[in-house]
Amino acid sequence: MVGRNKEFPIRLPFRYLPLLPGYAWRNQTMIKAHIKRYSRTISDLERLLSQGADERIFLNNEGLTKYGTPLVRNSYLNRGSCTCSAARDGDVVLINNLLRSHKDSTDWIKLRRSLENELKIELGWDERHDFDLFFAPSGTDLVYYPLIFSQLLFPEKMIQNLITCIEEIGSGARLSSLGRFYANYNQFGESVAKGSDIIPDQKIQAHFFKARSEFGNIHNHADSIRKIVHEHPEDSIIINLVYGSKSGIEDDLGMIDEINENNVQWVVDICQFRHSREIFHDLISKGAMVMITGSKFYESSPFSGAMLVPKEISRKLLQVADFNSISGYSCIFSMYDVPQSLMKKVPFADRVNRSALLRWACALSSMRAFNQLDKIEVEEKTIHWRNKVLGLLEASDAMELMPHQELADNSIVSFRVFKDNQYLNQEELCSLYFSIIRGGYGNECEFDYVTIGQPVNYGEKAFLRLAIGAKTIRQFVVQDEAEFATDEKIISILEQKIAELETGRTCRASAY
C-alpha cells in the first residue's frame, strides 16, 4: 500500500508516482533516475507528521505536501489561512520531548486525556457551558459526526444536510457531507474507496450553498435555509453554518435563535479558530455543535480537528443501546476520538493516533501563549496590520481587493490578481501560488520562504488571501510592531511574481 525504498525514502503510495511533475517516463530505470535526482532525505519527524491523516499530507519526492509546503521548516513567514503550516523550532522541541517521554500506548492514552482537559480549559469550559470533545484526524472528518448522531438518534429518518460556503471550506466536504469517503486513505494509513458510501443505503440529501456570487459579493442564505426546514418537517435536518471561512466570511448566527425546531441539529464551522471563547460559549448554550482545528489560526502542522458537542447531545447518545449501525465509521475514527464515556459503546478500533496528538500538543502550546496576550493589544495590532495590507493592495496595479472586506475577519485580506487586462483564473493563481511559496528570498529578506493563502474559486473566478495567525500576532505584540515592513516585502514579492507569471498555463502541484 505504501512505497518505500532506499532511493525514495518517503511515505507515498505507488499510485501517485505517475502524478509526479513532468512524469513522462517509459520504464522503471527512468523513474528511479528522476527520484534519485530530486529526492532528499526525509527525517523521522517529518515521516511521523505525514501520518495520522489522509493523503493530503503525504510527502512527495521533494518532502512537500500537496500544498507545496513541508511539515518542518524554520526560516519562513506564514501568511496563509489554510492548513499548510510547518512545525518550527519550538514545535520540534515540544514534539521531541513528548516522543522521549511517551514510550508505550498507555502513555499516549494518558496524553490524549491530558490534551482534552487542557483544550477544554483554553476553550473556557465550565458547568454553565458544558460540552464534550470529539476528535477527528481533520476538519473534513468532523462533518461525519452530525451524520453519526442523526443515524443513532433518528435511525429511520431521511437526513437533510445543509452546507454553506461550500467553496470556502475543505474540498472534501462535498463527499463527507453525503456520508462518503472523501479521500483515498484514512488516519490509519489504510486505503479506502474514495466516493463510496461509508454506511450503505444511508439516506442523505445534501444542499450546498455557495459563499459568493459571480461578482464576489457574499451571499445570505437565511431565506433558502428556512424554506428547506419548512419543507422537511419529518426529516432529520443538519444545518452547517460557517463562522470564519477561508476568506473570513461569517454566516448569520441569528438563524439559530429564529429556527427553533426539534428536528434540527446546528453545526457551526469555526475551523479557522479566529474567534474568542465567548462565541463558543454562546453557541454551546444554544445547543449548537462547534467545529475547530488547531492547524489554521494556531499554526500547528496539518491536520487536527475537534468538535465541541453540548452535553445534552452526549447524554442522548449514551441512552442509545446499540451502536452497531455506525460500524462503517470504524474506517474513519478510533475509539480515542470520542469522549471517554462513549469509548466502550462505539464500534471503533483501539488505536491511538500519535501524530494527531503531537499536532494538537503544538496547537495547544500556541493557544496558551496567545491567550496570555492582552486582548486590546491583539486587536490593535491585527487592525494595524490589516490597514497596512489593505493600503498596499489598493495601491497595487496588479491586485484588487475582494468585495465586502468589512464583513470578513480582521486577520484575513482577500484579493484578486489581474494581468494583461484580465483577472487570473484558478489555474493561473495556482501557478502563481506555487511560484511564491517555492522560496529563495534569503538574499534579499530576513526570511527564506513565505506561505500565503491558497487560491479559492467562486464560479469561474478565483482569489488569493493574506492572513496572520496566533504566532505572527504574538510576534507583533511582543516586538510592538508598527511599520509592518515585512509585509511590504511580501507584497513586493507578489508583484514581482505576477510580472514573471506566464498566463494561460496549466497549474501543477508538486506531486499531486
Side-chain angles (χ1 to χ4, degrees):
M1 196 191 329
V2 174
R4 296 189 187 191
N5 57 44
K6 292 181 180 179
E7 294 179 300
F8 192 60
I10 301 168
R11 186 178 187 272
L12 180 68
F14 286 124
R15 71 176 70 181
Y16 287 109
L17 287 176
L19 298 180
L20 292 171
Y23 181 84
W25 308 288
R26 295 185 180 180
N27 57 61
Q28 195 69 16
T29 302
M30 295 182 71
I31 293 176
K32 290 182 178 180
H34 179 88
I35 290 171
K36 186 175 182 179
R37 178 182 175 187
Y38 291 106
S39 65
R40 67 174 177 84
T41 301
I42 306 300
S43 69
D44 290 341
L45 176 56
E46 290 174 291
R47 288 197 191 93
L48 179 59
L49 290 176
S50 72
Q51 299 171 9
D54 56 79
E55 63 267 21
R56 288 176 291 176
I57 54 169
F58 288 177
L59 299 175
N60 67 7
N61 58 308
E62 298 174 85
L64 305 176
T65 68
K66 68 166 288 186
Y67 308 110
T69 53
L71 295 174
V72 178
R73 175 181 278 172
N74 288 319
S75 180
Y76 88 105
L77 292 177
N78 185 10
R79 292 296 185 270
S81 65
C82 314
T83 298
C84 56
S85 300
R88 308 186 201 183
D89 287 329
D91 300 320
V92 172
V93 171
L94 173 59
I95 290 171
N96 284 331
N97 286 340
L98 289 172
L99 289 173
R100 281 192 293 269
S101 60
H102 293 71
K103 302 298 184 183
D104 54 34
S105 59
T106 301
D107 292 332
W108 289 99
I109 292 169
K110 289 180 180 178
L111 177 62
R112 186 265 182 214
R113 293 172 182 168
S114 174
L115 290 175
E116 178 181 4
N117 292 333
E118 292 176 36
L119 181 55
K120 279 188 171 184
I121 291 171
E122 295 303 321
L123 293 171
W125 177 94
D126 58 35
E127 292 183 357
R128 293 180 300 113
H129 309 99
D130 198 359
F131 59 85
D132 280 318
L133 283 173
F134 287 70
F135 290 91
S138 76
T140 309
D141 295 286
L142 291 174
V143 177
Y144 292 129
Y145 276 127
L147 298 177
I148 289 175
F149 301 161
S150 184
Q151 175 71 27
L152 292 171
L153 299 174
F154 314 106
E156 304 301 323
K157 289 190 175 185
M158 177 82 176
I159 298 174
Q160 304 292 335
N161 202 8
L162 286 61
I163 313 285
T164 65
C165 289
I166 187 61
E167 71 270 39
E168 293 204 22
I169 57 178
S171 59
R174 285 187 177 271
L175 289 173
S176 60
S177 61
L178 286 164
R180 297 174 183 170
F181 293 106
Y182 70 87
N184 293 293
Y185 288 84
N186 62 16
Q187 66 170 311
F188 313 118
E190 302 165 341
S191 62
V192 294
K194 181 177 179 178
S196 64
D197 291 333
I198 298 175
I199 298 178
D201 302 321
Q202 190 174 21
K203 298 174 290 185
I204 303 172
Q205 182 176 0
H207 306 262
F208 301 123
F209 299 92
K210 291 185 177 180
R212 297 177 183 269
S213 71
E214 60 177 321
F215 304 106
N217 296 317
I218 297 172
H219 284 306
N220 186 330
H221 296 293
D223 290 340
S224 299
I225 290 172
R226 292 188 192 98
K227 184 174 182 292
I228 292 174
V229 172
H230 178 73
E231 291 175 347
H232 298 277
E234 302 301 321
D235 294 343
S236 174
I237 300 175
I238 303 168
I239 302 178
N240 297 266
L241 303 179
V242 177
Y243 200 67
S245 67
K246 289 178 179 178
S247 66
I249 294 175
E250 298 177 349
D251 278 329
D252 180 11
L253 299 183
M255 283 187 284
I256 299 175
D257 293 320
E258 296 171 17
I259 305 175
N260 187 18
E261 303 292 341
N262 293 330
N263 63 327
V264 174
Q265 290 185 78
W266 289 97
V267 184
V268 182
D269 181 338
I270 308 186
C271 285
Q272 282 288 329
F273 216 165
R274 297 173 183 270
H275 299 87
S276 67
R277 64 179 66 179
E278 285 74 23
I279 292 292
F280 303 128
H281 291 175
D282 184 48
L283 292 170
I284 291 297
S285 67
K286 295 178 180 180
M289 293 173 271
V290 179
M291 296 166 56
I292 61 173
T293 64
S295 54
K296 295 182 176 66
F297 182 73
Y298 289 102
E299 303 184 60
S300 176
S301 300
F303 286 100
S304 55
M307 179 89 82
L308 284 65
V309 178
K311 200 70 174 183
E312 183 59 31
I313 296 177
S314 299
R315 293 191 186 100
K316 292 178 181 178
L317 292 172
L318 281 169
Q319 294 172 10
V320 176
D322 187 1
F323 275 59
N324 286 326
S325 63
I326 61 166
S327 59
Y329 283 98
S330 61
C331 290
I332 301 293
F333 297 111
S334 156
M335 64 182 290
Y336 298 106
D337 289 328
V338 304
Q340 191 170 355
S341 60
L342 290 171
M343 283 183 183
K344 293 183 179 179
K345 301 197 69 157
V346 294
F348 301 157
D350 182 2
R351 307 191 206 183
V352 180
N353 188 335
R354 293 193 304 158
S355 301
L357 293 177
L358 293 172
R359 292 191 280 269
W360 265 118
C362 293
L364 271 166
S365 176
S366 175
M367 200 181 304
R368 278 193 294 267
F370 182 80
N371 286 345
Q372 291 172 6
L373 298 175
D374 181 83
K375 291 183 180 180
I376 295 177
E377 286 188 284
V378 167
E379 184 177 7
E380 287 178 349
K381 293 302 180 186
T382 303
I383 291 175
H384 288 169
W385 170 85
R386 176 185 176 83
N387 290 338
K388 177 74 172 186
V389 173
L390 288 175
L392 292 169
L393 291 174
E394 286 173 340
S396 173
D397 293 329
M399 290 170 278
E400 177 183 282
L401 293 169
M402 287 291 289
H404 293 164
Q405 288 292 321
E406 72 281 1
L407 300 180
D409 188 271
N410 286 331
S411 61
I412 302 177
V413 175
S414 303
F415 58 95
R416 295 188 68 184
V417 178
F418 52 90
K419 182 177 181 178
D420 300 331
N421 297 318
Q422 62 181 1
Y423 290 106
L424 299 190
N425 60 26
Q426 173 81 354
E427 288 188 345
E428 291 162 340
L429 284 184
C430 194
S431 294
L432 176 63
Y433 166 81
F434 280 104
S435 72
I436 292 167
I437 66 170
R438 202 165 287 135
Y441 307 115
N443 292 333
E444 302 174 357
C445 306
E446 66 274 19
F447 54 89
D448 292 329
Y449 299 91
V450 61
T451 300
I452 67 171
Q454 300 146 23
V456 174
N457 70 310
Y458 59 104
E460 296 181 355
K461 302 175 183 178
F463 61 89
L464 292 173
R465 292 148 295 138
L466 293 173
I468 49 176
K471 294 179 180 180
T472 304
I473 296 174
R474 185 167 181 266
Q475 182 180 7
F476 287 166
V477 171
V478 171
Q479 297 179 356
D480 194 21
E481 180 64 60
E483 300 299 324
F484 302 100
T486 299
D487 287 276
E488 291 183 9
K489 294 178 182 178
I490 293 173
I491 299 296
S492 177
I493 290 171
L494 276 164
E495 291 181 324
Q496 178 184 344
K497 293 297 183 180
I498 293 168
E500 296 172 354
L501 180 68
E502 297 179 13
T503 59
R505 66 186 182 183
T506 303
C507 163
R508 290 190 310 190
S510 293
Y512 301 103

